[in-house]
Amino acid sequence: GKIRNINAVTVRALISRWLQDNPPYTGTGWEPYPLSLRIVNWIKWLLAGNAPVEGMTASLTQQAHALSRQVEFHLQGNHLLANAKALIFAGTFFEGKVAGRWLQQGLGLLEEQLAEQVLVDGGHFERSPMYHSIVLTDVLDLIQLGQLYRTGEIARRLGALRGTAGAMASWLDGLIHPDGQIPFFNDAAFGVAPAPGAVLEYARNLGAARRFADSAIQHFDVSGYVSVHNHDQVAVMDVAPVGPDYIPGHAHADTLSFEWSLFGQRVLVNSGTSEYGISPERQRQRGTAAHNTVVVNGLDSSEVWSGFRVARRATPFDVNIGQAGDCGVVRASHDGYHRLWRKVTHTREWRVMPGEFRVKDQLVGKF
């Protein structure tokens, strides 16, 4: 929404300044992730009917070339999808053999990564509602690109992309609070990804939104989240693994945490994420005490360390979801404290019923 309010003269000045201050292949601006975002944004601006700034088109080809030579296989996850999206945008926008290679490289990455990263319940495998929203927006942008280039390679994948986006939109719709915003599980904050309402509207406009569930309890059993709607209450529970074992960089020690809204307003929330890096505040926000769950012996349930590292991780087990009349019941355990000398099992039960919300914790072991 903010970009629409910047007039074309300002945008042209910003692009000119970037071209002047960032000579090819030097500086942070030529790192693969910034390249991925800029390539897509510049091409979107051109596709909206704006004439290119002097030097802009040549720079775009250099940026796409630079990206094609430094795809982020070392980081994987949402970074790889951002790289794939940018290569597809550049390969579709430009013509010729080189552009064709960018396109094929991007399409190959996209197909492989969507199959790996989007779980069968629609959740993104990094288990962050924020990154889920970012990746869903990436998929929706590719759908719109396919609609613009009806004879292009990307258009042939519209059916599959709409199916993926529909599942992801259903997941997002199921987890948001009554205030329309995401819960804070793992790395998550407001204002980084587009707001859920805008993403879901985008999906609807592109024919990529399923009929959303209206059941009182939704269990996304593969990604590991549960939402319970009961009269004036909404509770969202984390019974998920911390993320993919090989890239848990966005994970927090938040197993069996939850968020709770009453009368449309958030009452119990996790801390969320305000910064990256290796600061004490980053460490605090990733720790168990920053979340609505139980700390044992002053330790984190998963061993989060440095800025994006996790050692021994908590795994949920014995997850049970049920409904007894007007009462929703969710129960689960985790093994994160089994690393203690006397193994400790944390079991939590949530009961959501009209006018009442109960959380019962049981710790078994020596602590």
Side-chain angles (χ1 to χ4, degrees):
K2 292 178 183 175
I3 293 298
R4 284 193 215 108
N5 298 326
I6 300 176
N7 64 43
V9 174
T10 304
V11 174
R12 299 180 78 83
L14 286 169
I15 294 170
S16 293
R17 179 67 186 269
W18 190 89
L19 291 168
Q20 174 187 320
D21 292 350
N22 294 273
Y25 313 120
T26 57
T28 304
W30 291 83
E31 292 288 329
Y33 194 69
L35 283 172
S36 297
L37 303 185
R38 188 183 312 105
I39 287 166
V40 168
N41 287 333
W42 282 17
I43 289 175
K44 282 183 181 180
W45 192 72
L46 293 171
L47 288 175
N50 297 289
V53 174
E54 184 180 353
M56 181 182 184
T57 307
S59 176
L60 262 176
T61 60
Q62 290 173 320
Q63 291 179 51
H65 169 71
L67 175 60
S68 73
R69 302 298 296 270
Q70 50 178 340
V71 171
E72 295 173 283
F73 291 108
H74 61 300
L75 293 179
Q76 302 190 63
N78 66 88
H79 281 250
L80 263 185
L81 277 174
N83 301 160
K85 174 187 175 182
L87 289 167
I88 292 167
F89 263 72
T92 301
F93 182 75
F94 291 105
E95 296 177 351
K97 287 184 178 179
V98 174
R101 287 200 292 271
W102 297 335
L103 179 60
Q104 292 309 313
Q105 184 183 13
L107 289 171
L109 274 173
L110 180 73
E111 184 176 353
E112 168 192 286
Q113 291 303 312
L114 283 182
E116 181 177 343
Q117 294 191 33
V118 181
L119 305 171
V120 294
D121 63 8
H124 184 252
F125 76 158
E126 292 187 76
R127 271 80 169 186
S128 155
M130 181 180 80
Y131 282 103
H132 178 99
S133 300
I134 291 171
V135 170
L136 172 52
T137 305
D138 289 341
V139 176
L140 294 171
D141 281 349
L142 289 167
I143 292 171
Q144 189 173 12
L145 187 71
Q147 291 181 347
L148 286 171
Y149 288 88
R150 287 289 183 181
T151 59
E153 288 274 342
I154 190 65
R156 299 179 192 175
R157 292 160 171 82
L158 281 176
L161 288 172
R162 283 197 182 99
T164 298
M168 295 187 77
S170 294
W171 189 95
L172 180 62
D173 182 72
L175 259 67
I176 55 178
H177 278 276
D179 64 8
Q181 270 289 4
I182 58 172
F184 294 150
F185 296 119
N186 296 314
D187 278 339
F190 296 153
V192 177
V199 178
L200 295 172
E201 182 184 6
Y202 192 17
R204 283 190 291 271
N205 291 341
L206 293 172
R210 297 177 179 174
R211 180 178 174 273
F212 297 137
D214 55 8
S215 57
I217 300 180
Q218 293 185 71
H219 181 201
F220 298 98
D221 59 336
V222 180
S223 54
Y225 292 96
V226 183
S227 68
V228 180
H229 293 243
N230 192 306
H231 295 264
D232 295 314
Q233 303 180 64
V234 174
V236 189
M237 295 89 166
D238 177 350
V239 293
V242 298
D245 278 338
Y246 54 94
I247 44 165
H250 292 299
H252 289 199
D254 61 355
T255 308
L256 301 194
S257 68
F258 68 97
E259 295 201 339
W260 180 57
S261 282
L262 179 64
F263 306 131
Q265 181 174 324
R266 292 168 189 243
V267 178
L268 295 173
V269 295
N270 292 326
S271 289
T273 302
S274 67
E275 60 184 60
Y276 283 163
I278 54 173
S279 68
E281 179 62 6
R282 169 68 171 159
Q283 187 65 29
R284 185 194 71 79
Q285 290 179 350
R286 295 181 78 205
T288 302
H291 304 85
N292 293 316
T293 188
V294 175
V295 177
V296 176
N297 288 11
L299 299 174
D300 293 325
S301 57
S302 291
E303 291 180 306
V304 290
W305 63 282
S306 188
F308 299 93
R309 298 288 184 266
V310 188
R312 289 171 289 187
R313 304 102 195 254
T315 302
F317 62 95
D318 288 349
V319 178
N320 289 288
I321 317 292
Q323 193 152 6
D326 219 5
C327 175
V329 183
V330 179
R331 184 180 173 89
S333 303
H334 80 78
D335 64 3
Y337 294 114
H338 284 191
R339 68 182 190 269
L340 297 175
W341 178 58
R342 299 275 183 90
K343 294 181 180 180
V344 175
T345 298
H346 174 205
T347 299
R348 170 168 274 183
E349 180 183 271
W350 297 268
R351 286 183 175 266
V352 191
M353 61 201 91
E356 194 168 338
F357 180 55
R358 292 185 185 180
V359 184
K360 178 182 176 182
D361 288 303
Q362 182 181 41
L363 297 176
V364 177
K366 181 78 171 176
F367 55 91

